[in-house]
Amino acid sequence: MAFIDYYKILEVDKKATEADIKKAYRKMARKYHPDLNPNDKEAERKFKEINEANEVLSHAENRKKYDEYGENWQHAEQYEKAKQQGQYSRGGQQDGYGGFSGGGGGDFSDFFESMFGGRASGGGGRRRSAQFKGQDFSTELHLDLKDVYTTHKRTLTINGKNIRITIPAGVENGQQIKISGLGGEGSSGVPKGDLYITFTVENHTNFKLDNHNLYSTVDLDLYTAILGGEITADTFDGKVKLTVKPGTQNGTKVKLKGKGFPIYKKEGEFGDLYITYQIQIPTNLTEKEAALFTELAKLRTT
């Protein structure tokens, strides 16, 4: 059975950190995404491989199983159970599935073939049918920051089928969620696999998002900054009126509590909005305006 090297697929080292794997996955998923490579069968195949590799390596438990059992990682629990029952021993003992001998490192491929429906070695070559959970599916969903400000529904096409899912407000870029039972069919009535969705959230707004807080810059005319007054500023979901204090300095920050981004799976909770005032210096002054500013300057120095 050919070994699938998920590390090679994502072009990362076996000692790669979780962050390294996430970065490599995003880079390659963007490169081979079907939307960017229409009618390209090779890119489609590569995209599926990348998602499969990420599904395994981005989950600590799955990665641990994969590192130990290779492509048979999904059947690690069955193997461990068999080992506990004395049906397999790494030390070369005879097992209960047709005389498999582990010998030192153990030939896991032979073991899994005999245990899960492959050709049994010895013992009459009896075949055993497997009952496994269905295949897990992985996909990537591209959204705009405005899309994830509110909880909404989307229709996705997965393996030729249209499914309706609810996307909670506050989903973050690179976040992955699991929807149980939306994967492939299981054999012999066992449960279906799961669907893993990785979100790519792009920000095309004038707001910067950082840990649920939003940041923006608002232009403030010189006269309002000096004398004070009232201005209208944009928030993510509308406009608000702000009172500007007299003598406001350039770079002054104001905090609007609860006007930030929604917090994932915490209904009604939001981050804050921080606005920085950027004072606009008037240009192209008329002679009269220049004279008035000159007079003001004299008043300030006397």
Side-chain angles (χ1 to χ4, degrees), residues 133-191:
K133 172 187 169 185
Q135 178 186 0
D136 290 337
F137 293 155
S138 297
T139 189
E140 183 173 317
L141 182 57
H142 290 255
L143 298 168
D144 189 85
L145 192 62
K146 291 181 179 179
D147 296 329
V148 295
Y149 186 76
T150 57
T151 299
H152 67 286
K153 294 183 180 294
R154 283 287 178 105
T155 299
L156 302 180
T157 301
I158 304 296
N159 203 30
K161 296 180 180 179
N162 290 334
I163 59 172
R164 189 79 167 165
I165 65 169
T166 298
I167 301 176
V171 165
E172 298 179 9
N173 183 48
Q175 183 174 343
Q176 186 179 74
I177 64 172
K178 181 181 81 170
I179 305 179
S180 301
L182 287 184
E185 295 287 344
S187 63
S188 304
V190 298

Side-chain angles (χ1 to χ4, degrees), residues 40-293:
D40 188 334
K41 295 297 182 182
E42 179 60 22
E44 182 179 350
R45 182 192 65 80
K46 189 72 175 178
F47 185 72
K48 289 180 180 179
E49 283 187 348
I50 292 166
N51 277 285
E52 182 179 336
N54 180 65
E55 174 192 324
V56 176
L57 300 184
S58 64
H59 294 76
E61 185 177 344
N62 289 349
R63 183 179 179 181
K64 181 179 179 182
K65 293 176 182 178
Y66 174 75
D67 287 342
E68 184 169 357
Y69 300 109
E71 64 181 332
N72 296 305
W73 68 273
Q74 289 180 308
H75 310 316
E77 293 181 5
Q78 289 94 326
Y79 162 70
E80 290 293 341
K81 182 177 180 181
K83 186 170 71 171
Q84 291 172 6
Q85 295 174 347
Q87 296 166 327
Y88 165 69
S89 171
R90 282 184 178 272
Q93 301 288 332
Q94 183 176 12
D95 69 273
Y97 293 94
F100 172 75
S101 177
D107 186 345
F108 291 123
S109 295
D110 288 348
F111 169 71
F112 282 104
E113 283 182 5
S114 63
M115 183 174 181
F116 302 120
R119 188 178 64 251
S121 57
R126 183 159 60 99
R127 298 177 65 87
R128 295 174 180 268
S129 60
Q131 290 188 349
F132 301 137
K133 172 187 169 185
Q135 178 186 0
D136 290 337
F137 293 155
S138 297
T139 189
E140 183 173 317
L141 182 57
H142 290 255
L143 298 168
D144 189 85
L145 192 62
K146 291 181 179 179
D147 296 329
V148 295
Y149 186 76
T150 57
T151 299
H152 67 286
K153 294 183 180 294
R154 283 287 178 105
T155 299
L156 302 180
T157 301
I158 304 296
N159 203 30
K161 296 180 180 179
N162 290 334
I163 59 172
R164 189 79 167 165
I165 65 169
T166 298
I167 301 176
V171 165
E172 298 179 9
N173 183 48
Q175 183 174 343
Q176 186 179 74
I177 64 172
K178 181 181 81 170
I179 305 179
S180 301
L182 287 184
E185 295 287 344
S187 63
S188 304
V190 298
K192 292 182 178 180
D194 302 320
L195 171 63
Y196 291 88
I197 302 176
T198 301
F199 294 96
T200 297
V201 181
E202 299 177 349
N203 186 1
H204 297 110
T205 73
N206 293 323
F207 296 90
K208 177 184 176 183
L209 175 65
D210 184 16
N211 193 28
H212 312 303
N213 294 324
L214 292 171
Y215 298 83
S216 69
T217 300
V218 171
D219 291 339
L220 190 64
D221 67 79
L222 179 64
Y223 314 106
T224 304
I226 294 173
L227 302 174
E230 190 174 76
I231 65 169
T232 299
D234 291 324
T235 69
F236 206 88
D237 62 346
K239 295 181 179 293
V240 294
K241 288 186 177 181
L242 299 177
T243 300
V244 180
K245 296 180 180 179
T248 294
Q249 300 297 305
N250 187 54
T252 296
K253 290 182 172 62
V254 294
K255 173 183 173 182
L256 278 61
K257 188 173 179 60
K259 283 295 184 178
F261 214 69
I263 300 175
Y264 180 72
K265 286 295 184 70
K266 292 187 177 181
E267 188 70 27
E269 294 189 28
F270 292 77
D272 302 320
L273 169 61
Y274 293 86
I275 293 177
T276 300
Y277 289 137
Q278 183 172 288
I279 298 176
Q280 301 298 297
I281 304 298
T283 59
N284 301 320
L285 298 178
T286 65
E287 289 185 7
K288 185 175 182 180
E289 287 173 329
L292 289 172
F293 273 109

